[in-house]
Amino acid sequence: MTTHQQLIQVETRGRGTYEISREVKQAVEASGIHSGLCHVFTHHTSASLTLCENADPSVRRDLESFMIRLVPDGDPLYEHSLEGADDMPAHIRSILTNMDLTLPVTQGRCGLGTWQGVYLWEHRTHPHKRRVTVTVQGD
Amino acid sequence: MTTHQQLIQVETRGRGTYEISREVKQAVEASGIHSGLCHVFTHHTSASLTLCENADPSVRRDLESFMIRLVPDGDPLYEHSLEGADDMPAHIRSILTNMDLTLPVTQGRCGLGTWQGVYLWEHRTHPHKRRVTVTVQGD
Amino acid sequence: MTTHQQLIQVETRGRGTYEISREVKQAVEASGIHSGLCHVFTHHTSASLTLCENADPSVRRDLESFMIRLVPDGDPLYEHSLEGADDMPAHIRSILTNMDLTLPVTQGRCGLGTWQGVYLWEHRTHPHKRRVTVTVQGD
C-alpha cells in the first residue's frame, strides 16, 4: 500500500468550469496503484471541484445560469463585499459544490463513469491561479 | 493495510431515495478491515449519494419537495433539455448533493451515527440501473 | 502505511459555525503520518462540516444569512416538524453542505489553504454535543 501525491496548477480565465480529468487520470497512472482511492482537493475558498456531465457543454452553461440565479452577485444580503460583487457568492458557491472530491481507483484507472468529467469550478469573475492536490492511495 | 473493493447495483423505480446502508455495511464486514475508511461512489451524473435521517420517512419526502422547488423541472432557464424536463435538474441536484461519500470504519464497523442512513438518490423520473463502487481501506 | 483515528467532541451553543481546524491539525500531527489523507466526519444529520474562509467573520455571518433564506425555518412545505421549526431545515442544510470532508496530508501537515478553516456547522437553534471522528491514513 502506497501514497502518491502531486500538484496540479490551473490558470483560470475567470468564472466557469475547467476540465481536469486528464490531469487527474495521469496522476492515477503515475502512481502505479491498481486498486484504491484518488482524492482531489483545491486549496481555496472561492473555487470548487465537481463531477459533471462531460458530453454536452450546455449542461455546464445551465449549471452556471442556475448558480448565478441561486447565489446572486452583489446581493444586498451580503455584508462581506470587500473584493467585489462576486466575493461572497464565490465562497457560498464553493461551499455548496465542495472543495474536495474522492474517486475510486480500479484496475489501475480512475473509476469515472462514462459521462463523468472532473472540473475545477472558478467562482470569481477574474482569472486566478488555482492549486489542486491529487493524492492516490492503494495497492 | 489493505484495499477491498466491490460493486453494488441499485435498480431504481424513478425519482426518490433508496437506502443502501445494509449493502455498504456488508462491504465493510466483507473487507475484514478493523480501522480505516469506506468510500462510496456512484458512476453517474444524474443520481447522488447522501446521508439522511433514517427513522421518519417524512424527512425524505420533505427533502424531495425542497429539491423540486429549488431545482424546478422544465425550468425555462435550462438550455439542455434533450432527455426531458428532469434532465438538467438531475445534473444540478447530483452536483448539489454529491456523487461521493466517505465514512469512517471503526472496530470493524461502518461508523454511521444512530440516525444516519446511506441513500442513493435517483434524480431522474424514470427507473434506472445505478452502479455504486464501495472501496474500504485500512488495517 | 498506517491508520490513526480519534474522536473530537464539540459542544455547540446553537446554530452557527465552530472552528475545529486546530483539533484536526493536532490529529494529523498525533498520527505521525507524513503523506496521505485526513478524513473528518460528523455522526449526525443536523450538523455538517465545511471549509470556509477563516479571516473575516462576516463571511460566516453572510453564509448563515444565505442559508436562512434558502432553507427557511418553519416553511409550510415541511411535513416533518416534530422537533420544531428548525428540525427539517437542519437536515436539508446538512445534506447541502455535507457531513464528511477529506483533506490531503503533505509533509506531516494538514494541507489546508491559507484561508481555509475547518468548521463544524450546527444547524439546530439549541446547543448540542456533536461527535466528529478524524481518520488519518498514509505513510
Side-chain angles (χ1 to χ4, degrees):
Chain A
M1 193 108 163
T2 53
T3 299
H4 170 91
Q5 202 165 64
Q6 70 182 70
L7 190 69
I8 294 172
Q9 309 238 34
V10 186
E11 301 213 1
T12 74
R13 298 174 300 279
R15 189 171 276 178
T17 45
Y18 298 83
E19 188 161 16
I20 57 166
S21 306
R22 202 186 55 200
E23 289 82 350
V24 171
K25 285 173 181 173
Q26 283 172 347
V28 170
E29 284 162 31
S31 76
I33 286 167
H34 184 78
S35 177
L37 297 176
C38 172
H39 174 253
V40 195
F41 184 81
T42 185
H43 301 260
H44 308 276
T45 61
S46 52
S48 61
L49 293 166
T50 196
L51 287 174
C52 189
E53 204 264 4
N54 59 8
D56 184 348
S58 68
V59 171
R60 289 175 293 118
R61 284 198 296 271
D62 286 355
L63 194 58
E64 195 68 60
S65 309
F66 178 82
M67 270 296 172
I68 285 168
R69 190 176 67 183
L70 186 69
V71 193
D73 288 334
D75 193 313
L77 183 86
Y78 314 135
E79 180 186 340
H80 177 87
S81 55
L82 213 70
E83 295 182 31
D86 63 326
D87 185 358
M88 194 57 218
H91 293 311
I92 297 174
R93 291 162 59 127
S94 298
I95 286 169
L96 290 177
T97 59
N98 305 317
M99 289 145 265
D100 69 325
L101 180 65
T102 308
L103 310 167
V105 175
T106 308
Q107 300 190 309
R109 286 163 159 257
C110 203
L112 287 167
T114 315
W115 311 110
Q116 286 179 324
V118 182
Y119 293 88
L120 177 113
W121 198 346
E122 172 64 73
H123 297 297
R124 301 301 308 270
T125 52
H126 288 293
H128 280 77
K129 291 188 185 182
R130 301 303 193 174
R131 291 189 311 127
V132 174
T133 293
V134 182
T135 307
V136 191
Q137 248 179 5
D139 298 302
Chain B
M1 193 108 162
T2 54
T3 300
H4 170 90
Q5 201 165 65
Q6 70 182 71
L7 190 69
I8 295 173
Q9 309 238 31
V10 186
E11 300 212 3
T12 73
R13 298 174 300 280
R15 189 171 276 178
T17 45
Y18 298 83
E19 189 162 14
I20 57 166
S21 305
R22 203 187 55 201
E23 289 82 350
V24 171
K25 285 173 182 173
Q26 282 172 347
V28 171
E29 284 163 31
S31 75
I33 287 167
H34 184 79
S35 177
L37 297 175
C38 171
H39 174 254
V40 195
F41 184 81
T42 185
H43 301 260
H44 307 277
T45 61
S46 52
S48 62
L49 292 166
T50 195
L51 286 174
C52 188
E53 205 263 4
N54 59 8
D56 183 350
S58 68
V59 171
R60 288 175 293 118
R61 285 197 296 271
D62 286 355
L63 194 58
E64 194 68 60
S65 309
F66 178 82
M67 271 296 173
I68 285 168
R69 189 176 68 185
L70 186 69
V71 192
D73 289 333
D75 193 314
L77 183 85
Y78 314 136
E79 180 187 340
H80 178 87
S81 56
L82 212 71
E83 295 182 30
D86 63 326
D87 185 359
M88 195 56 218
H91 294 310
I92 296 174
R93 290 162 60 126
S94 298
I95 286 169
L96 289 177
T97 59
N98 306 316
M99 289 145 263
D100 70 324
L101 180 64
T102 307
L103 310 168
V105 174
T106 309
Q107 299 190 311
R109 286 162 159 258
C110 202
L112 287 167
T114 315
W115 311 109
Q116 286 179 325
V118 183
Y119 293 87
L120 177 114
W121 197 347
E122 173 64 73
H123 297 297
R124 300 301 308 269
T125 52
H126 288 294
H128 280 78
K129 291 187 184 181
R130 300 304 194 174
R131 292 189 310 126
V132 174
T133 293
V134 182
T135 307
V136 191
Q137 248 178 5
D139 299 302
Chain C
M1 193 107 162
T2 53
T3 300
H4 170 91
Q5 202 166 64
Q6 70 182 70
L7 190 70
I8 295 172
Q9 310 238 32
V10 186
E11 301 212 2
T12 74
R13 297 173 303 278
R15 189 172 277 176
T17 45
Y18 299 83
E19 188 161 16
I20 56 166
S21 306
R22 202 186 56 200
E23 289 82 349
V24 171
K25 285 173 182 173
Q26 283 172 348
V28 170
E29 284 162 32
S31 76
I33 286 166
H34 184 78
S35 177
L37 297 175
C38 172
H39 174 253
V40 195
F41 184 81
T42 185
H43 302 260
H44 307 276
T45 60
S46 52
S48 62
L49 292 166
T50 195
L51 287 174
C52 188
E53 204 263 4
N54 60 9
D56 183 349
S58 69
V59 171
R60 289 175 293 119
R61 284 197 297 271
D62 286 355
L63 194 59
E64 195 68 59
S65 308
F66 178 83
M67 270 296 173
I68 285 169
R69 190 176 67 184
L70 186 70
V71 193
D73 288 333
D75 193 314
L77 183 85
Y78 314 136
E79 180 187 340
H80 177 87
S81 56
L82 213 70
E83 295 182 30
D86 64 326
D87 185 359
M88 194 58 217
H91 293 311
I92 297 174
R93 291 162 60 126
S94 298
I95 286 168
L96 289 176
T97 59
N98 306 318
M99 289 146 264
D100 69 325
L101 180 65
T102 307
L103 310 167
V105 174
T106 308
Q107 301 190 309
R109 285 161 160 258
C110 201
L112 286 167
T114 314
W115 311 109
Q116 287 178 323
V118 183
Y119 293 87
L120 178 113
W121 197 346
E122 172 64 74
H123 297 296
R124 302 301 308 268
T125 52
H126 289 293
H128 280 78
K129 290 187 184 180
R130 301 303 193 176
R131 292 189 310 127
V132 173
T133 293
V134 181
T135 307
V136 192
Q137 248 179 5
D139 298 302

